[in-house]
Amino acid sequence: MGINNPASHIVINKHLRITKKYFDEIVLPAFNDLTSSISPVRKIYDIAGKTICMNFYSEKLLEKMSKAFAHIEKDSADTPDLTIYIWDSVSTKTHLASPWLNQEEYTYPGEVNAKTINLDSFLGIYLNGEETLNLYDEKNNTAYFWIYNADNLLYRVSASPLRSILNWFLSKEGVHLMHGAVIGFNGKSILLTAKGCSGKSTTALSCLFSGMDYLGDDYVAIKYSDVITTHCIFSSAKLSPQSLYGSFPALQDKIWNENGMEKENEKAIVFLMELYHRQIIRQAPLQAIMIPVIKNVEKTNIVQASKIQTMLSMIPYTLFQLSLTKSDKMAELKSIVERTPCYFLELGYDLNGAAETIKSFLTNGQ
Amino acid sequence: MSNKVYKINDSKAISETIDGETIIINLETGFYYSVNKTATVIWNEIKNSNSIKNISQIFLNHFEVDINTAEKSVSEIIGLFLKDDLILELDSDIFPNIREQQTGIMKEIFIIPRIEKYDDMAGALLADPIHDVNEDGWPNLK
């Protein structure tokens, strides 16, 4: 038998929600085989105050998935709050049978974005498009990430790895992974939230080049407590090649996926930790939420936005891009919006001017 | 005027209200909606399983509006909610239980209830072609 079952089973091209039965009957035995023959490389990270251990059984996945976490790596013997096991079948020469071999028992019918019912303290999803298996066993504080061939890991997954698993785990801890960019200055931070191609990443990078702090440009975490704080989870930047070459020539020779951009029709990815480590900060109190809007004006302006406009910019993308997000996340994100001043960031032509406007906003304590 | 009872389609729709306005998300289709203040009154009454007649009476009691405008507005919005599967019509009637309010209470200016629909998340969810794995087996797709 080959590495995988060669049967030509029909696959529905959508995300598949995976049952605990598949985890118990298929994944755990395969994982036990793996651990009997291979020792992992162990990395420890501090993610929003939680100690997360990642055990890499594939060198290629270590190379591709650890760069985004470089800013939060730590040496620690603490008992991890979560341990994630990461491997692929090809490089480890191990087998994992597909979850749809026994469709009725191993996958849930219906739409994965429907309201989550977490009966077994277990969440699992096979993500169509990136072809990865993501499993979270809440009771045992463990998670499993698998891809058939590490060579096929998409570059965009390298920019923000393990999104589903981290989203599930952090939600339980009152920390919300969400779609947005965060920049900081003067010990405070601003969440930029909007749909794709609205200027989030460009604004965040222009702020970085103006000397401001950077906490992420695509996915960030927000912790709801007495003081709402933003947390940098992925120290990567993702930009269209045109924006990068046009606006940030200093990054041209730092693109990590130069060979893959054309192949995957992907954005350019730059890992910022090695280049700007002093400006990559782990966390900061949230001062305001801003919705970037590209305007045909010279000067960037900050104007009041309503709470509902902010919710519309922030919530649908977060809920739909992070699979199996519990629907109560919407209420929790609403609480953050209720307590935080909200604005439109009307972006002018001059990128440096935009950064200076935001810097002035944070300095003057509005 | 109908006394049919409507309720939220909980299996598909989630919502939150903030500053009197509401965001509704249809988890199945990916469509999402912003709902103004008067349409939010309708949505919140449907949360309590109410009828067009009762909701119209609530508008008459609290807003400067005539009965025809109130009933037409409520009917239209409920029609839109029904069309997009955000609410369900129950197979039962209720007796009108909202009474006309005594005069002398300051009423609010009536703003026509409106909902705005956004479809930019729907494309990703609707793509659902079927394909085979390739000769290397799962999960190598053709």
Side-chain angles (χ1 to χ4, degrees):
Chain A
M1 189 166 64
I3 285 173
N4 276 294
N5 191 324
S8 180
H9 25 268
I10 302 295
V11 179
I12 304 293
N13 185 15
K14 65 178 183 182
H15 302 331
L16 288 176
R17 189 172 169 203
I18 306 299
T19 63
K20 177 96 169 18
K21 191 176 172 70
Y22 173 71
F23 172 64
D24 289 336
E25 293 183 357
I26 304 296
V27 177
L28 275 183
F31 178 70
N32 289 335
D33 283 348
L34 172 79
T35 55
S36 66
S37 57
I38 300 174
S39 298
V41 174
R42 192 166 189 253
K43 294 273 187 182
I44 309 286
Y45 300 105
D46 178 342
I47 297 186
K50 296 289 161 186
T51 299
I52 297 187
C53 171
M54 296 186 195
N55 287 341
F56 292 91
Y57 291 85
S58 154
E59 277 191 27
K60 282 180 183 167
L61 290 179
L62 172 68
E63 155 70 13
K64 290 183 169 195
M65 295 175 68
S66 59
K67 285 184 181 299
F69 300 117
H71 63 298
I72 45 175
E73 187 168 354
K74 66 174 187 177
D75 299 317
S76 167
D78 296 350
T79 305
D81 296 297
L82 176 71
T83 301
I84 309 175
Y85 302 100
I86 298 161
W87 79 103
D88 74 306
S89 280
V90 170
S91 75
T92 59
K93 298 184 172 55
T94 54
H95 171 68
L96 189 64
S98 85
W100 49 84
L101 278 176
N102 192 342
Q103 183 85 34
E104 285 181 9
E105 292 187 335
Y106 292 164
T107 66
Y108 287 92
E111 179 54 55
V112 295
N113 283 304
K115 290 185 174 182
T116 301
I117 303 163
N118 192 2
L119 296 173
D120 317 305
S121 301
F122 171 83
L123 284 169
I125 193 167
Y126 181 79
L127 287 175
N128 169 61
E130 60 178 68
E131 314 308 336
T132 63
L133 191 62
N134 301 265
L135 308 168
Y136 173 45
D137 180 3
E138 185 182 327
K139 263 187 203 154
N140 293 305
N141 300 318
T142 52
Y144 301 79
F145 176 91
W146 175 90
I147 184 167
Y148 171 66
N149 184 351
D151 286 338
N152 296 339
L153 191 81
L154 295 179
Y155 289 110
R156 63 180 154 86
V157 179
S158 298
S160 49
L162 304 167
R163 278 200 325 248
S164 296
I165 289 169
L166 292 176
N167 178 39
W168 299 332
F169 168 73
L170 291 172
S171 292
K172 186 174 68 90
E173 306 292 334
V175 180
H176 302 290
L177 197 62
M178 56 175 304
H179 180 241
V182 174
I183 40 156
F185 192 67
N186 221 15
K188 302 169 204 164
S189 68
I190 285 177
L191 168 68
L192 303 171
T193 178
K195 300 166 186 174
C197 303
S198 53
K200 280 195 319 288
S201 294
T202 307
T203 306
L205 273 182
S206 65
C207 288
L208 176 80
F209 278 94
S210 293
M212 294 175 68
D213 298 325
Y214 183 97
L215 293 93
D217 80 333
D218 198 17
Y219 290 93
V220 292
I222 297 193
K223 187 173 187 176
Y224 185 83
S225 59
D226 292 345
V227 176
I228 299 171
T229 48
T230 55
H231 298 260
C232 178
I233 308 291
F234 310 112
S235 53
S236 53
K238 228 169 63 168
L239 269 178
S240 70
Q242 297 87 336
S243 295
L244 190 133
Y245 293 128
S247 305
F248 307 104
L251 294 177
Q252 274 183 25
D253 59 347
K254 312 292 183 199
I255 299 172
W256 184 69
N257 57 329
E258 197 150 28
N259 297 329
M261 282 190 299
E262 200 174 308
K263 180 180 147 202
E264 291 180 13
N265 196 20
E266 279 284 2
K267 291 183 172 179
I269 293 165
V270 178
F271 291 107
L272 298 168
M273 183 56 185
E274 288 171 17
L275 307 167
Y276 304 98
H277 66 276
R278 291 206 177 120
Q279 289 167 261
I280 308 295
I281 60 167
R282 290 186 180 195
Q283 69 175 75
L286 177 65
Q287 183 75 7
I289 301 171
M290 292 187 182
I291 307 164
V293 185
I294 297 170
K295 286 269 180 180
N296 200 18
V297 294
E298 193 171 339
K299 192 174 176 296
T300 294
N301 287 309
I302 294 172
V303 299
Q304 195 89 29
S306 72
K307 301 288 184 187
I308 196 79
Q309 286 164 328
T310 308
M311 297 267 285
L312 287 166
S313 297
M314 190 163 121
I315 289 177
Y317 272 71
T318 294
L319 283 185
F320 284 114
Q321 289 193 352
L322 296 170
S323 299
L324 294 183
T325 293
K326 290 181 182 177
S327 54
D328 56 7
K329 183 162 185 151
M330 188 161 160
E332 290 162 5
L333 293 179
K334 179 184 115 173
S335 305
I336 291 168
V337 173
E338 271 177 329
R339 283 180 48 193
T340 310
C342 302
Y343 302 92
F344 283 111
L345 180 67
E346 297 181 342
L347 293 166
Y349 306 128
D350 178 14
L351 282 177
N352 291 333
E356 290 306 319
T357 302
I358 296 170
K359 212 187 268 186
S360 164
F361 176 89
L362 284 173
T363 305
N364 297 330
Q366 287 185 55
Chain B
M1 180 52 53
S2 168
N3 287 324
K4 285 277 181 203
V5 181
Y6 298 92
K7 70 181 279 279
I8 306 294
N9 188 354
D10 286 324
S11 66
K12 294 182 181 175
I14 58 172
S15 68
E16 285 297 334
T17 299
I18 189 163
D19 282 357
E21 297 181 287
T22 299
I23 175 172
I24 303 169
I25 296 179
N26 185 326
L27 292 166
E28 193 169 279
T29 62
F31 294 136
Y32 58 102
Y33 310 79
S34 67
V35 177
N36 77 355
K37 290 189 178 180
T38 39
T40 291
V41 172
I42 300 170
W43 181 256
N44 286 337
E45 286 304 319
I46 296 171
K47 273 187 175 171
N48 299 326
S49 300
N50 219 334
S51 67
I52 292 176
K53 189 156 191 167
N54 274 338
I55 299 170
S56 302
Q57 187 60 52
I58 289 167
F59 277 151
L60 289 172
N61 288 347
H62 296 280
F63 294 90
E64 290 173 354
V65 63
D66 62 78
I67 182 70
N68 288 338
T69 308
E71 288 184 349
K72 182 169 177 284
S73 301
V74 176
S75 297
E76 280 177 4
I77 292 294
I78 283 184
L80 292 170
F81 287 153
L82 275 174
K83 184 166 166 272
D84 280 15
D85 272 348
L86 299 172
I87 63 171
L88 301 169
E89 186 179 275
L90 298 184
D91 197 18
S92 61
D93 290 3
I94 55 168
F95 291 108
N97 58 8
I98 308 289
R99 301 285 176 211
E100 190 176 338
Q101 203 157 285
Q102 298 301 310
T103 54
I105 290 176
M106 185 77 90
K107 293 184 179 180
E108 291 180 48
I109 293 168
F110 185 72
I111 298 163
I112 298 294
R114 287 194 196 288
I115 55 179
E116 195 165 344
K117 180 175 174 178
Y118 302 86
D119 62 1
D120 49 293
M121 290 307 301
L125 293 177
L126 296 177
D128 193 20
I130 291 178
H131 55 236
D132 290 307
V133 293
N134 70 16
E135 62 275 12
D136 293 329
W138 181 71
N140 297 290
L141 309 174
K142 279 181 179 170

